[in-house]
Structure formats: C-alpha cells, structure tokens
Amino acid sequence: MPTPSEKYDIHSPKRYLEYTETPYYRAFRDLTNPGSAASNYAVLKSMENAEKSLAAIEEYYNGPTYINVMPKFEFTYDSVTPLESRKFFLRNGYDIGKRSIWRMTLCEKASNLFLVRRCQIQSGAGKLPQAIAALLVEYCNGQEYGLRLIEKQMIKGGAIAYVAFSSEGTPASICVGQGYGSAYCITALYTTENQRKKGYGAAALLAAMRGAAEAKLGYDTIFLDTASENTNAVSLFEKAGFRGEEHTVYGAFKGGVPLQWKRVTLEDLEEEASWTK
C-alpha cells in the first residue's frame, strides 16, 4: 500500500502534465517544455508486453508533433525493478544510471541551530514576476525548463511559491511547496549565491511549512527529496526538523545518462542485488 508521499510521486504529475497510462506503463510529457527531464518521463509497470509498451512510449515522445525527446524511465513505487528489467533496457539501447538522494520527512521540532532571517516574505501562485522567475532560472543553471515546470505546477497543480526578500528588496530565496491528499511536498528550495548562509533559505522554508499547516487541508506528512551531494541543503533540512536516510535511485536513459548520474553496468546491478538479499 503506497504511503502518502509515494501516492504523491505516482499521481500528482497527472494534474499538470499530459500523460497516457495503461496497465503496463505510464508516460508523462510536456509539449511546451521538452527539455525538462522532470516533465517527460515514463514508468514501466510490468515486463508483460514490454516490447509493445516501449514502442508505444517511444512513439509518444517522438510522434509527428513531438520530436527529438530522449526517452527516460524512472524506477518508482509501482514500476518494474532495475534488476528485472536490466537486460531488456540494455538490449534496446538504454543505459541505466543511478544517483544518491536524501528522502526526508518532517518529524521533529526545529533545532536551535535553525537560524531564520527576519525578512519580507511573499507567497503566490501562477506566472512569476521576472525578478522571482530569475531565481528559478539561476537554480537550473541558466535554463528555463525548471521555471516552466514550476509555473505549471502552480497554475494547474496547486503549488505555492514562498519568496524571502533581502533588505534591499530583491528576491533572495524561493521555496515551492505542493500538497496532494494528506502529503505536502517541498519541491524546490533555492537561495541566490550572494545571499547564502544568512537565513533567507530558512525563512522561505519556514514560510512554506507554515503555509502547509495554515492551509488546514489535513496534511499529516511533509516530505522532500534532495541530492546527497548538496550537503548544505541536507544540513539545513535537518536543522529544520527533517529526518531521513540516503537512497539510491535508478533511471534508464536513451542517449546516455545525465551528468548528475553514474552509469551502471549489468555486472554492477547484479553485484548490488546480491548484497541486498
């Protein structure tokens, strides 16, 4: 039985992304944002009819009106496992990659080390003003795909952005939160480089956490995922009262694994599986 956060991962994107689903697979896409890996991905739910599923998914991403999108498969709560599908994906020209994340849930009070800047906070949903949008573009290394996705989440998915402003009145940090059922997810937190370690990120995060509580929509779980290599973010979330553990996540990619991922060989997968038995 999926937990509230697992249900969020499975179902929430259906509110703001185009998708197709059968008993064998699920695929999301965004015609306006083809460069976003978070907007264009599939989940293979069964090895039954896998060849037909793969052909249908690849056509979904490279049809007459939607071309040059490299297919990506996520291994998630209702998908086949990397181990059982490894030979299938490799045979069809996919590489399997892995990366490490921290999956964290709010379960304690904030520590005395959680230093929050007293500053102006604004919240809202929909298309963002240019100065705030620039924070999200910076967050994605100058690309706009993250901004497009988050604006779609706010317009169609119920997400809200909380922005902390510096004493000069410029946006210093942004935190985005989105609810689904009884779970509330912190989907993004970013502070511009010259305003870090001043409490602005903590202020934006706290505003999002308060917003979840004040919404009175029955959220009993506040959770997030963050990259393990982002040690500053992990430390901030722990000071805010989040606890969790490191997880390895896998994906199957056509055209090579992304820079943040490590390619996994067939031998690697089989060796890792032997350690978990």
Side-chain angles (χ1 to χ4, degrees):
M1 188 75 178
T3 67
S5 61
E6 290 168 351
K7 289 180 181 178
Y8 168 91
D9 285 343
I10 294 171
H11 298 294
S12 183
K14 295 176 182 178
R15 295 190 291 178
Y16 51 84
L17 295 175
E18 181 184 345
Y19 73 96
T20 181
E21 186 166 21
T22 75
Y24 308 107
Y25 67 87
R26 176 172 64 255
F28 295 97
R29 70 181 186 183
D30 184 350
L31 296 170
T32 65
N33 200 12
S36 171
S39 304
N40 302 275
Y41 67 91
V43 174
L44 186 64
K45 297 192 283 185
S46 171
M47 292 306 298
E48 185 181 352
N49 294 321
E51 294 287 353
K52 290 183 179 180
S53 295
L54 181 62
I57 290 166
E58 291 187 342
E59 183 179 359
Y60 187 66
Y61 289 128
N62 293 282
T65 61
Y66 200 65
I67 58 175
N68 297 327
V69 174
M70 290 297 182
K72 169 196 173 188
F73 285 81
E74 288 191 355
F75 295 99
T76 185
Y77 312 102
D78 62 339
S79 75
V80 297
T81 67
L83 189 62
E84 68 182 307
S85 61
R86 64 201 185 285
K87 293 182 180 179
F88 168 77
F89 279 116
L90 294 172
R91 185 173 67 248
N92 283 281
Y94 285 76
D95 288 314
I96 296 177
K98 69 176 182 179
R99 68 179 304 192
S100 180
I101 65 166
W102 275 83
R103 187 156 293 154
M104 310 183 78
T105 301
L106 183 66
C107 55
E108 295 183 8
K109 290 183 178 180
S111 77
N112 293 332
L113 298 176
F114 185 55
L115 303 178
V116 181
R117 183 87 171 202
R118 289 190 176 184
C119 60
Q120 178 190 4
I121 299 287
Q122 290 184 7
S123 63
K127 192 168 180 62
L128 294 169
Q130 185 174 356
I132 298 175
L135 271 180
L136 292 174
V137 175
E138 186 180 320
Y139 175 55
C140 294
N141 299 314
Q143 302 296 318
E144 293 190 358
Y145 53 81
L147 169 64
R148 294 191 194 120
L149 174 59
I150 287 173
E151 285 190 333
K152 186 159 288 190
Q153 289 172 338
M154 289 191 292
I155 293 168
K156 295 185 176 181
I160 298 176
Y162 297 85
V163 182
F165 287 81
S166 70
S167 55
E168 293 80 25
T170 59
S173 186
I174 185 169
C175 185
V176 181
Q178 182 179 355
Y180 187 85
S182 61
Y184 187 86
C185 182
I186 302 297
T187 60
L189 176 63
Y190 180 75
T191 303
T192 192
E193 190 170 358
N194 64 354
Q195 299 290 1
R196 293 175 186 170
K197 298 185 179 180
K198 298 179 181 179
Y200 289 113
L205 174 60
L206 181 61
M209 293 160 58
R210 285 175 173 168
E214 291 168 0
K216 296 182 180 179
L217 294 175
Y219 301 130
D220 57 21
T221 302
I222 299 179
F223 73 101
L224 58 91
D225 290 343
T226 189
S228 295
E229 62 266 24
N230 193 347
T231 54
N232 288 336
V234 173
S235 176
L236 174 64
F237 292 131
E238 288 181 334
K239 291 172 185 174
F242 286 85
R243 295 291 180 269
E245 57 186 17
E246 213 166 6
H247 286 261
T248 300
V249 294
Y250 294 87
F253 307 87
K254 199 162 193 177
V257 301
L259 289 176
Q260 305 94 327
W261 295 69
K262 179 182 178 182
R263 184 176 176 273
V264 182
T265 67
L266 181 61
E267 291 75 18
D268 292 334
L269 280 171
E270 291 173 344
E271 182 177 350
E272 290 175 13
S274 69
W275 282 93
T276 59
K277 288 182 180 178

